[in-house]
Amino acid sequence: MSELSIPEHLSNRALRVAIVGAGPAGIYAADMLAKSEAVSSGALQLKIDLFDELPTPFGLIRYGVSPDHPRIKGIITALHKVLNNDWIDFYGNVGLGRDVSLEELKARYDAVIISTGAQKDADLNIPGVDLEGSYGGADFVSWYDAHPDADRHWDLSAREVAVIGNGNVALDVARILSKHADQLLETEIPEHIYRLLNDSAVTDVHVFGRRGPAQVKFTPLELRELSHSKDVDIVLYPEDFEFDAASDEAMKSNNQTKTMVSTLTNWLIEQEEREEAPSASRRLHLHFLQSPVEILGEDGKVCGLKMERNELDGTGNVRGTGEFVHYPVQAVYRAVGYFGSAVDGIEYDGAAGVLPNEGGRVLDADGRHVSGLYATGWIKRGPVGLIGHTKGDALETITHLLSDLDTLAEPAVDQPIAELLADRGVDFADWQGWLELDQQEKQLGADAGTVATRFGEVTRDRIKVVSRQEMLEHSRAKKLAESL
């Protein structure tokens, strides 16, 4: 970027960029722009407005990562540093297509970056998926993460539960279902979530993966965290430990795969010794080489799960054996992936759940780049990879945006976006509002103090605010109204 040519009209004013989606992908894109040589050298000034339909920033980190992931949630510290700069403003509780249109953003900014992610469950097309007691994993994550738009209640009356999927979300769902609620009091979960989890009837959670132990999609960190749950036994099955040539090669060439297979194998060996000791009150069963065939129902409710056993085919993929197994479960959680949603005013690939793009340049129906419009994160490439992978995404998109500076149309409207939102009565939140809410959540934790649990005393550091309206008590719009 050292040879980047700065257009004359940007020599005396800041490049104005709108980013829609205030999760890691959007914030990383802002950070990459600020750290680009053009900006850091002073050749290009920068002004970013970051929008989110929620009143709070941080997206997936706040509402898609389990509360008992303190190390992953520590990413918020780095994202906080990005947002705590003069060149970026946060506008929460502002929905694209609801409160402001894409055309209105394009009229006010040189470029618009879409980073809305993938928030809904991918489909699992098997019979019985619509039965009562069949849930989407993403919906459950939103509930236990206290998303303001999630239902406050969740039915946890099932004793035996199935989780379909072998990724990190599947393990998160299984761990929260099987973990005793008292262990979660050291996190930021609100009281109503604690109470429902504490009253849960669950005794057994079964996690099913289509392929073998060497092909799982979760990470060593996720796997190890299963063993941190107290009074929960991990149950493995020797017949599931099948390896083919591709499995052997993966274990030789990939340290992560080797670590996970080693961990699982050691747990299987230790299981015989553990079975001679008193068992825990809950069990977390890990099944491999099984594919869902049908969710079984009775009187409209889940009563079981039909699975087909698979075998590895030598390439690391699987084929069905024609052998079926029935599990008596009363609830099924589908955690087979996330899926992106359409964005108002932009072409959408409904098959892949992404915005059609080339390296982050958003394309129209004819495959042409829509000038000034970009995408990054899961809405750009689909819900694959870890949170940190969105940095590479952002770099690619930002590199293309900067190389397009000469072709970007100048903003046609000078009206500040805050003025437009205020004129429409949009109750929007800003960065100062988040800082105040952040302090409020810490104060709620301090007020709760030290709590006695079945596993010992726990000091609560913070408790998450749930109500959207309560969050908006700190909004800029409300403060402006009170000052009049």
Side-chain angles (χ1 to χ4, degrees):
M1 295 182 189
S2 58
E3 300 178 359
L4 186 69
S5 173
I6 307 300
E8 184 177 348
H9 68 270
L10 289 174
S11 62
N12 54 13
R13 71 164 177 85
L15 173 71
R16 302 207 296 258
V17 179
I19 300 179
V20 181
I27 298 175
Y28 285 146
D31 193 37
M32 293 291 180
L33 257 177
K35 289 179 177 176
S36 67
E37 186 171 341
V39 176
S40 59
S41 68
L44 180 66
Q45 300 174 66
L46 179 65
K47 182 66 184 72
I48 294 176
D49 287 342
L50 180 67
F51 299 87
D52 202 282
E53 63 180 8
L54 291 170
T56 60
F58 309 129
L60 179 68
I61 300 295
R62 183 170 167 90
Y63 293 116
V65 174
S66 292
D68 57 347
H69 276 331
R71 281 171 290 182
I72 295 179
K73 283 186 174 287
I75 296 173
I76 282 184
T77 301
L79 301 180
H80 184 284
K81 290 179 180 178
V82 177
L83 293 183
N84 199 34
N85 281 287
D86 293 339
W87 47 265
I88 186 168
D89 282 327
F90 171 67
Y91 292 87
N93 200 44
V94 178
L96 180 61
R98 182 189 70 198
D99 302 306
V100 64
S101 71
L102 178 63
E103 291 307 312
E104 287 169 332
L105 291 183
K106 291 178 69 175
R108 288 164 172 78
Y109 299 91
D110 296 282
V112 177
I113 302 174
I114 307 298
S115 58
T116 49
Q119 303 173 34
K120 65 181 182 179
D121 286 286
D123 291 335
L124 178 64
N125 296 314
I126 60 173
V129 74
D130 294 324
L131 287 166
E132 183 180 340
S134 172
Y135 305 109
D139 291 335
F140 185 56
V141 172
S142 291
W143 174 76
Y144 68 61
D145 263 335
H147 191 291
D149 300 331
D151 195 319
R152 293 292 186 94
H153 179 74
W154 195 275
D155 185 354
L156 293 168
S157 61
R159 292 175 59 83
E160 299 159 300
V161 177
V163 179
I164 300 174
N166 244 184
N168 285 343
V169 174
L171 285 199
D172 283 349
V173 168
R175 193 180 63 258
I176 295 298
L177 284 168
S178 60
K179 199 170 192 174
H180 288 281
D182 276 6
Q183 264 195 279
L184 293 170
L185 281 175
E186 62 187 11
T187 76
E188 62 189 17
I189 65 165
E191 180 67 19
H192 76 281
I193 294 173
Y194 165 75
R195 287 198 309 271
L196 286 170
L197 288 172
N198 193 49
D199 293 339
S200 170
V202 71
T203 59
D204 292 81
V205 177
H206 297 264
V207 184
F208 294 95
R210 187 174 62 87
R211 298 193 290 174
Q215 289 82 36
V216 294
K217 294 297 185 182
F218 47 75
T219 61
L221 173 63
E222 292 280 348
L223 183 61
R224 286 194 298 268
E225 286 187 347
L226 294 183
S227 64
H228 298 163
S229 295
K230 298 177 181 178
D231 191 33
V232 179
D233 279 345
I234 298 172
V235 183
L236 297 160
Y237 298 86
E239 63 270 25
D240 290 345
F241 282 72
E242 177 183 318
F243 303 95
D244 60 2
S247 303
D248 293 336
E249 179 58 31
M251 287 184 280
K252 290 178 183 177
S253 61
N254 188 304
N255 285 332
Q256 178 168 298
T257 300
K258 180 180 179 181
T259 297
M260 288 190 291
V261 171
S262 176
T263 299
L264 289 166
T265 304
N266 287 338
W267 286 354
L268 181 62
I269 294 171
E270 295 166 359
Q271 185 168 290
E272 294 182 4
E273 300 175 4
R274 191 182 67 227
E275 286 175 348
E276 298 174 1
S279 65
S281 67
R282 293 180 178 180
R283 288 156 295 281
L284 177 56
H285 306 256
L286 299 180
H287 302 271
F288 303 101
L289 295 169
Q290 297 189 52
S291 292
V293 175
E294 181 181 2
I295 300 174
L296 306 174
E298 187 175 291
D299 298 327
K301 298 180 180 180
V302 171
C303 69
L305 180 63
K306 181 180 179 180
M307 304 291 291
E308 181 180 13
R309 287 206 60 84
N310 298 323
E311 62 182 8
L312 293 167
D313 66 1
T315 68
N317 291 312
V318 295
R319 55 183 169 237
T321 64
E323 177 188 349
F324 299 96
V325 187
H326 291 75
Y327 294 89
V329 298
Q330 301 83 53
V332 174
Y333 289 76
R334 310 177 307 275
V336 294
Y338 283 85
F339 203 76
S341 301
V343 178
D344 191 71
I346 304 177
E347 191 68 21
Y348 175 66
D349 182 345
V354 299
L355 304 183
N357 70 92
E358 288 183 349
R361 292 182 172 109
V362 173
L363 306 177
D364 63 17
D366 296 320
R368 296 188 297 262
H369 176 214
V370 181
S371 180
L373 189 59
Y374 302 85
T376 191
W378 282 1
I379 197 63
K380 168 188 172 185
R381 60 181 168 85
V384 292
L386 303 176
I387 292 170
H389 292 157
T390 56
K391 289 184 178 180
D393 253 359
L395 180 60
E396 179 183 55
T397 296
I398 293 311
T399 299
H400 285 152
L401 188 159
L402 290 174
S403 69
D404 293 342
L405 288 182
D406 282 327
T407 67
L408 299 180
E410 287 197 61
V413 177
D414 289 331
Q415 182 192 32
I417 197 68
E419 184 178 310
L420 174 67
L421 296 173
D423 288 346
R424 288 183 175 166
V426 178
D427 195 6
F428 61 93
D430 63 2
W431 180 240
Q432 183 58 40
W434 160 252
L435 294 178
E436 292 178 11
L437 178 61
D438 184 42
Q439 288 303 312
Q440 181 185 352
E441 293 187 344
K442 291 175 181 176
Q443 187 60 52
L444 289 173
D447 292 344
T450 300
V451 181
T453 78
R454 61 183 295 182
F455 303 115
E457 292 187 339
V458 172
T459 300
R460 305 214 65 184
D461 293 327
R462 72 182 296 142
I463 297 175
K464 188 181 286 184
V465 169
V466 185
S467 165
R468 181 184 286 260
Q469 196 54 46
E470 190 174 348
M471 294 178 195
L472 290 173
E473 291 298 313
H474 304 282
S475 72
R476 186 197 300 185
K478 182 174 180 61
K479 291 174 185 175
L480 287 173
E482 290 175 346
S483 67
L484 297 178

